[in-house]
Amino acid sequence: MARPLALALALLAVSVTVLPLVSSADDYARCEGAVKGWADSAGEGDNAGDKLNLKDLLFFLHIPRTGGRTYFHCFLKKLYTNAQECPRSYDKLRFDPSHPDCTLVVSHDDYSLTSKLPRERTSVVTILRNPVDRVFSTYEFSVEVAARFLVHPNLTSAKTMTSRVLTKSRAVSTLDIWPWKYLVPWMREDLFARRDARGNDSVPSSKKINAYDVEDMVMPLHQYINDPVAHEIIHNGATFQITGLTNNSYFDGAHEVRHCVRKYPDLGRFVLQVAKAGPYAVHRTYRGS
Ligand SMILES: *[C@@H]1O[C@H](CO)[C@@H](O)[C@H](O)[C@H]1NC(C)=O
Ligand SMILES: *[C@@H]1O[C@H](CO)[C@@H](O)[C@H](O)[C@H]1NC(C)=O
Ligand SMILES: *[C@@H]1O[C@H](CO)[C@@H](O)[C@H](O)[C@H]1NC(C)=O
């Protein structure tokens, strides 16, 4: 992403601290400038004619809960050898571009990862899913993974045992991977708190059949999706991921742009334009939940 933009944003941030009395109109104008500036630079170099030709390096941008694991194991793995697969790069801390010969990158990282890749030799593929299904599925998976920890007597012991096992095995855990590294611990803490509050003998009395609203066991869906954490990383998660604006971005200006869009939702149209025009070969899947 363009360095001048990052610099401009840094300067803006400074001027805001120096002049704390910005009016809300100024604030809107500042945000609009930041979002538009980003959108203009993001559109550059989009050689639209060449989207469907597979280039040397394929980046599979894995949006959570879109069937990406299946796509990877049942399709990509048949096309690429193990040696062609770049080292596991599920999280930016683990990304290692030192494998010059690899030709397949599979990652939950967002589009800004392309700034680390030879752009003119890279194709990007991703899978989109109906957003409502995706949000339901994100909730279900958060509960499923967090509930595995309930075999432990308490939260402290769950945390200690897990980090011990992971250090030993060096396996990549769901807890290392964005966005699960935020969503699972949050849900896990909540599950333990509810179990503690229930006490020992009150086995769920409720005959509730609505699995999304079993309050004595698990954070209900409506509470989950209204929480600021969900707002930050789930609601527009797929759009932010394919535009490189998640809170896991390599692009320094991402936080400014994202916060501006959240503060002034009408500015979201610029992000959507970039998302729609993005240089992707898109396979759409619409699965039921
Ligand atoms: C948590 O469980 C472990 C293992 O049973 C126990 O040693 C520890 O005292 C418990 N901690 C708390 C805070 O209850
Ligand atoms: C939980 O229930 C078991 C069996 O009913 C009982 O032995 C134990 O003391 C109870 N523990 C607590 C913390 O209430
Ligand atoms: C990303 O979002 C999560 C959840 O809101 C938050 O805990 C985390 O600090 C954020 N990370 C960054 C780099 O902003």
Side-chain angles (χ1 to χ4, degrees):
M1 295 274 163
R3 196 159 276 148
L5 177 61
L7 189 61
L9 291 174
L11 290 174
L12 278 169
V14 170
S15 67
V16 169
T17 15
V18 174
L19 302 166
L21 295 173
V22 281
S23 73
S24 62
D26 287 348
D27 189 53
Y28 181 85
R30 178 186 62 84
C31 267
E32 191 177 30
V35 176
K36 274 177 152 170
W38 164 80
D40 288 346
S41 72
E44 278 166 19
D46 174 12
N47 45 346
D50 202 19
K51 281 181 199 173
L52 293 175
N53 284 327
L54 183 60
K55 297 179 192 138
D56 305 343
L57 182 63
L58 179 66
F59 168 25
F60 173 41
L61 188 157
H62 183 179
I63 295 170
R65 313 313 294 158
T66 57
R69 264 179 64 81
T70 306
Y71 180 73
F72 173 62
H73 286 286
C74 303
F75 183 64
L76 293 179
K77 273 245 173 226
K78 309 285 182 245
L79 297 177
Y80 291 84
T81 64
N82 285 344
Q84 286 173 316
E85 213 181 297
C86 303
R88 284 306 163 100
S89 49
Y90 281 114
D91 186 276
K92 67 164 121 186
L93 299 172
R94 288 171 172 271
F95 181 67
D96 172 13
S98 65
H99 236 243
D101 299 328
C102 66
T103 52
L104 175 66
V105 179
V106 178
S107 176
H108 274 310
D109 274 312
D110 72 22
Y111 187 72
S112 65
L113 179 67
T114 56
S115 65
K116 307 280 179 215
L117 306 173
R119 201 174 283 225
E120 63 293 345
R121 291 198 292 116
T122 303
S123 292
V124 184
V125 63
T126 193
I127 300 175
L128 301 178
R129 184 178 181 185
N130 176 317
V132 176
D133 291 345
R134 182 177 57 76
V135 171
F136 269 98
S137 182
T138 306
Y139 172 74
E140 291 161 8
F141 192 66
S142 299
V143 175
E144 182 192 321
V145 177
R148 293 177 198 156
F149 294 92
L150 289 172
V151 298
H152 297 283
N154 57 50
L155 184 58
T156 321
S157 125
K159 284 181 182 167
T160 338
M161 295 305 284
T162 312
S163 62
R164 211 173 284 166
V165 170
L166 287 177
T167 320
K168 227 172 160 181
S169 71
R170 287 181 167 158
V172 179
S173 148
T174 310
L175 291 172
D176 296 325
I177 303 172
W178 183 92
W180 308 113
K181 63 180 181 183
Y182 300 121
L183 299 177
V184 172
W186 170 40
M187 182 60 81
R188 180 175 66 179
E189 194 157 318
D190 183 89
L191 282 178
F192 274 97
R194 279 172 212 264
R195 185 170 79 176
D196 292 347
R198 258 193 334 269
N200 194 358
D201 48 11
S202 71
V203 180
S205 54
S206 55
K207 294 198 176 73
K208 273 188 187 156
I209 44 163
N210 182 355
Y212 299 103
D213 191 14
V214 191
E215 204 176 8
D216 48 358
M217 305 281 288
V218 51
M219 185 191 316
L221 176 71
H222 60 86
Q223 188 183 333
Y224 179 82
I225 60 178
N226 287 314
D227 192 282
V229 173
H231 277 270
E232 174 72 33
I233 51 188
I234 304 173
H235 291 221
N236 291 308
T239 306
F240 285 147
Q241 212 177 335
I242 62 174
T243 48
L245 290 175
T246 66
N247 87 341
N248 189 41
S249 181
Y250 289 90
F251 164 52
D252 291 338
H255 298 284
E256 168 90 3
V257 174
R258 202 178 57 252
H259 288 142
C260 280
V261 167
R262 287 192 56 210
K263 195 165 173 192
Y264 304 110
D266 72 295
L267 294 177
R269 67 187 189 279
F270 295 110
V271 177
L272 208 55
Q273 270 165 20
V274 171
K276 286 180 175 171
Y280 312 100
V282 176
H283 297 249
R284 288 170 199 276
T285 61
Y286 291 104
R287 308 184 319 178
S289 44

